[in-house]
Amino acid sequence: MTEVYRRMLNDDGDDSPEKCRERRRRRIEMRRLASGGSSQPIDPLTSKEKKQAAAGESSSSTSSEGKRVVETVCEIPVAEPVFGSMSVSGRSREMEDAISVRINLFQSEVTRRRPVHFFGVFDGHGGAHVAALCRERMHVLIEEELARVDSTRVSSESGGGGAEWEEMWRGVMKRSYERMDVVAMGTCACGSEWFKCGCHPMQMALGGSTAVVAVLSPEHIIVANCGDSRAVLSRGGRAIPLSVDHKPDRSDELARIEAAGGRVIFLNGARVEGILAMSRAIGDKYLKPVVISEPEITFTKREPEDECLILASDGLWDVLSSDLACQVACECLREKNPPAKAGPQIEEEGAGALYPSRSMLAAALLTRLALGRRSADNISVIVVDLKRS
């Protein structure tokens, strides 16, 4: 796309009014394409990439440093949530993270006929299979649980965020996570169910994943978290945590682990039985019932000063604070002042054309910043632009 701009700017052949108008029209069209607002049939994604984006899958490439990079690029119409996401293996040998985005997940009387949107980040350990299962199944389970809710028991007043409405969502999320945990513990790393699998029994006992999920409605943000991935809201320049990491040395989690007969051993950080660096997760059959899958759920009413929502795995949060991540994302999302000189700048326009939206640029910059700070883990980031959603 940069070459296209260069050719247009260097075209010194015919300066007739017709040619000038044509060049201007083409520049406007290219800018519109770069910002994700084009309604023309030109599409930067291949048909394969479209299918992968629709299924929440990732595309692979290789960075200049020789590292395998897994990226998820999402371009959403203005009427729907505007978001960007990126998932990279980074300095880790294996890619165990997974990202899932489902637009217009569910729409019924329970949601007052308004669509809700699903965003999830899953950080696997002991293999990638549990995170992959969460990517494929978590949104389906939530949709099924929502469909089972008796809408007559949720009054019209509570539909806007009352006690009944919150209790309904708590039940939906807890049951979905419980069912997801059952699926994960009954599935081997080879992909087979336990009664069809010929692998060693320990293959099914190993492996788990964090799960931080945000359900976005026009009025609220519902976050369910299990593990040490995190959701943060930027509101009026302040970082507001929407989840709290489940670390074994967290006072309430430490008490729960010890009450269940488990131990927290400090071995390269606090670990359950000296093994797992988080106190809650999907899967991890061999650490039940000490490690549980029950999520903590928060409800946040959306406000006009909300700027963006960030969901990310601990590969980002280990090296970036919530405040810094929100500052970087908001700077990317903020509209810039028009340049003093007329005409597009080749370098700026070329760089902007690499990303279909500002939110995608924010996700990419956060990822590169974490890599630059020597993050040793997989890094997965979703940035939702709440101003344009």
Side-chain angles (χ1 to χ4, degrees):
M1 196 174 290
T2 305
E3 293 299 325
V4 175
Y5 277 114
R6 189 174 289 113
R7 284 199 301 271
M8 289 192 297
L9 292 173
N10 294 336
D11 187 1
D12 296 326
D14 187 358
D15 289 330
S16 65
E18 291 78 14
K19 282 288 185 180
C20 290
R21 282 195 295 269
E22 177 62 16
R23 286 199 296 269
R24 184 165 178 253
R25 184 192 67 78
R26 290 168 62 190
R27 283 198 296 270
I28 292 173
E29 200 60 50
M30 294 301 293
R31 289 197 198 101
R32 190 176 302 160
L33 175 61
S35 63
S38 175
S39 59
Q40 299 299 318
I42 302 173
D43 196 331
L45 299 180
T46 65
S47 59
K48 179 181 179 181
E49 290 169 334
K50 287 180 185 177
K51 292 178 181 177
Q52 289 177 331
E57 296 177 356
S58 303
S59 58
S60 298
S61 60
T62 303
S63 71
S64 58
E65 299 178 359
K67 302 182 182 68
R68 185 170 64 89
V69 177
V70 183
E71 299 184 6
T72 306
V73 180
C74 309
E75 182 154 0
I76 302 300
V78 176
E80 295 177 342
V82 178
F83 70 93
S85 63
M86 180 167 283
S87 189
V88 303
S89 59
R91 292 179 172 82
S92 180
R93 291 183 178 181
E94 301 294 332
M95 183 60 185
E96 297 178 322
D97 282 8
I99 283 179
S100 178
V101 176
R102 294 294 184 273
I103 301 304
N104 297 328
L105 174 69
F106 192 80
Q107 189 173 347
S108 73
E109 296 298 334
V110 174
T111 61
R112 296 194 297 172
R113 291 295 173 188
R114 297 186 180 188
V116 296
H117 314 291
F118 172 95
F119 302 90
V121 171
F122 311 103
D123 182 0
H125 49 264
H129 61 288
V130 176
L133 281 171
C134 290
R135 179 186 61 203
E136 296 165 5
R137 295 290 300 165
M138 182 67 85
H139 67 282
V140 176
L141 298 177
I142 291 175
E143 190 171 13
E144 289 176 357
E145 291 298 330
L146 281 171
R148 293 176 181 175
V149 172
D150 184 358
S151 60
T152 61
R153 297 182 61 184
V154 183
S155 63
S156 59
E157 290 83 5
S158 67
E164 292 182 23
W165 178 85
E166 288 191 6
E167 189 61 30
M168 180 271 293
W169 272 105
R170 287 187 191 277
V172 166
M173 289 301 193
K174 287 183 178 180
R175 290 191 298 271
S176 300
Y177 273 64
E178 182 180 358
R179 292 176 61 190
M180 190 70 249
D181 192 45
V182 171
V183 172
M185 290 194 298
T187 306
C188 178
C190 71
S192 303
E193 296 180 1
W194 65 270
F195 57 87
K196 299 178 182 177
C197 178
C199 300
H200 192 279
M202 281 304 294
Q203 284 290 97
M204 256 187 308
L206 296 172
S209 176
T210 71
V212 59
V213 165
V215 175
L216 186 69
S217 77
E219 297 92 3
H220 294 88
I221 304 171
I222 306 159
V223 171
N225 179 55
C226 174
D228 57 2
S229 295
R230 191 185 306 170
V232 179
L233 171 69
S234 178
R235 172 178 288 175
R238 295 183 300 112
I240 300 176
L242 301 187
S243 66
V244 181
D245 299 352
H246 290 127
K247 295 295 188 180
D249 55 348
R250 208 178 91 178
S251 57
D252 55 342
E253 288 295 285
L254 176 60
R256 181 188 61 76
I257 290 169
E258 292 177 343
R263 298 174 301 166
V264 175
I265 300 174
F266 287 82
L267 184 64
N268 191 23
R271 295 176 179 270
V272 178
E273 303 296 344
I275 301 171
L276 193 62
M278 66 203 72
S279 56
R280 301 192 188 193
I282 303 291
D284 292 300
K285 185 176 181 179
Y286 65 104
L287 288 174
K288 301 295 185 188
V290 177
V291 173
I292 62 175
S293 61
E294 181 179 350
E296 288 186 317
I297 303 164
T298 62
F299 301 89
T300 306
K301 185 172 174 56
R302 294 179 63 175
E303 301 291 347
E305 60 267 29
D306 290 350
E307 295 153 332
C308 66
L309 172 67
I310 303 175
L311 278 74
S313 61
D314 65 339
L316 180 80
W317 304 120
D318 284 346
V319 294
L320 263 70
S321 67
S322 298
D323 289 324
L324 179 58
C326 287
Q327 290 174 17
V328 171
C330 290
E331 185 65 25
C332 290
L333 298 175
R334 192 173 294 120
E335 291 285 355
K336 302 296 183 182
N337 294 325
K341 297 181 180 180
Q345 304 295 315
I346 296 177
E347 293 182 1
E348 292 181 2
E349 293 286 354
L354 295 175
Y355 304 103
S357 66
R358 293 178 182 271
S359 49
M360 183 61 208
L361 176 62
L365 186 55
L366 287 172
T367 302
R368 292 186 64 182
L369 186 56
L371 287 171
R373 292 192 169 201
R374 311 290 299 178
S375 175
D377 202 352
N378 302 149
I379 305 166
S380 295
V381 185
I382 300 176
V383 178
V384 185
D385 187 347
L386 297 177
K387 288 292 187 183
R388 294 175 177 82
S389 298

